[in-house]
Amino acid sequence: MSGLLGFTPSGSIEPSIPILMFCVAFGLSMDYEVFMLSRVKEEYDRTGDNVGAVAAGLERGGPLITSAAVILAASFATYASSGIVFLKMLGLGMVVVILVDATLIRAVLVPVFMRLAGHANWWAPAPLRALHDRFGISESEPESASAPSSKPPLKGPAALLKPAGSVSTRSPEPGPSGRL
């Protein structure tokens, strides 16, 4: 490897490299985990099916995780072209860590563990569950938010200021000929 990367091996690893790699990898892996688990949680809240939620979460979050891992691995791989041995070690180590984390851990081990754990994935301590139930903290909108509201429909220019993606609950009014 020393001939390929153009350095003279010293026979030891700089002690700060593994610590630095762990810290960066931990932060990046939390991002990957949030991407995937938020998709899994949304699907579980929608269907209540753990197995389907894990599969759908991996299907929907997988491309994002893979893309992010490839981009980060490519950016850290540029460190290997540096003339500084410290940066070469860091760059090569981070490429390996990122690719192993995104493929082996996020795409294989986490979904397998979540499927084996079943409904235990969604267990929470009693005080935390009570807080969640009281304030309704959720990844997605509660079911009651999608139901028609008791507020009168907006009229005039205010009707044009609806938030993007909102759906009008007002039924269309018949035209002069009585057709919709």
Side-chain angles (χ1 to χ4, degrees):
M1 185 65 78
S2 63
L4 179 65
L5 294 176
F7 68 93
T8 304
S10 64
S12 65
I13 294 177
E14 171 69 28
S16 61
I17 291 286
I19 296 167
L20 184 59
M21 284 191 330
F22 172 77
C23 293
V24 172
F26 182 78
L28 293 174
S29 68
M30 289 301 107
D31 287 345
Y32 297 154
E33 195 70 15
V34 167
F35 291 152
M36 188 172 73
L37 289 183
S38 60
R39 302 294 80 82
V40 171
K41 177 72 169 126
E42 286 172 356
E43 189 68 20
Y44 181 77
D45 286 346
R46 194 175 68 75
T47 64
D49 176 28
N50 185 61
V51 174
V54 171
L58 184 59
E59 179 183 355
R60 290 172 56 200
L64 180 63
I65 292 170
T66 303
S67 301
V70 167
I71 290 168
L72 284 169
S75 67
F76 276 111
T78 61
Y79 288 15
S81 66
S82 170
I84 302 169
V85 177
F86 179 85
L87 288 178
K88 287 183 184 205
M89 285 192 285
L90 179 65
L92 190 59
M94 287 306 302
V95 167
V96 171
V97 166
I98 288 170
L99 293 178
V100 166
D101 181 60
T103 56
L104 182 64
I105 296 173
R106 302 294 158 227
V108 177
L109 294 178
V110 170
V112 166
F113 179 77
M114 288 188 74
R115 181 159 179 177
L116 290 174
H119 290 290
N121 289 319
W122 316 111
W123 174 85
L128 186 59
R129 176 65 62 189
L131 179 72
H132 181 272
D133 291 342
R134 179 174 180 174
F135 293 108
I137 301 168
S138 176
E139 287 289 325
S140 57
E141 288 186 33
E143 292 297 322
S144 62
S146 62
S149 67
S150 59
K151 296 179 184 176
L154 298 174
K155 294 183 180 182
L160 300 174
L161 299 175
K162 291 187 298 190
S166 67
V167 179
S168 175
T169 58
R170 194 171 65 160
S171 61
E173 298 174 11
S177 64
R179 294 188 199 152
L180 290 178

